[in-house]
Amino acid sequence: MSTVEGEDALLAVAKPPKVRRRRLRSILLVLMAQYTIVAMIVGLSVAGILRYVVTPQIVAKFEAIEAALKRLPSP
């Protein structure tokens, strides 16, 4: 009988499992999700700017260079 009482006493004294790890995991998961969403938004914004603003300017410069080269007298 004393062994059963001893086991019960050990179970009563044992600390409950820590919730801290679970809380830390959830916080890290939320931070990673936010980082991923922000990175996707920034990436799409940069891609849009490159596509609609920078690319036409580069194409226009190359067309201007091509037109200037065509006007040069041939050797």
Side-chain angles (χ1 to χ4, degrees), residues 13-59:
V13 173
K15 295 179 182 177
K18 292 186 179 179
V19 182
R20 191 174 201 175
R21 281 185 182 251
R22 189 175 294 167
R23 192 174 292 165
L24 182 63
R25 278 187 190 162
S26 63
I27 290 171
L28 288 175
L29 183 64
V30 167
L31 289 175
M32 288 298 291
Q34 287 178 347
Y35 174 79
T36 304
I37 291 169
V38 169
M40 287 176 60
I41 291 171
V42 168
L44 290 174
S45 298
V46 169
I49 289 171
L50 287 174
R51 171 75 169 100
Y52 293 107
V53 176
V54 176
T55 305
Q57 291 176 355
I58 292 172
V59 170

Side-chain angles (χ1 to χ4, degrees), residues 5-19:
E5 290 175 359
E7 289 177 8
D8 290 340
L10 285 176
L11 290 175
V13 173
K15 295 179 182 177
K18 292 186 179 179
V19 182

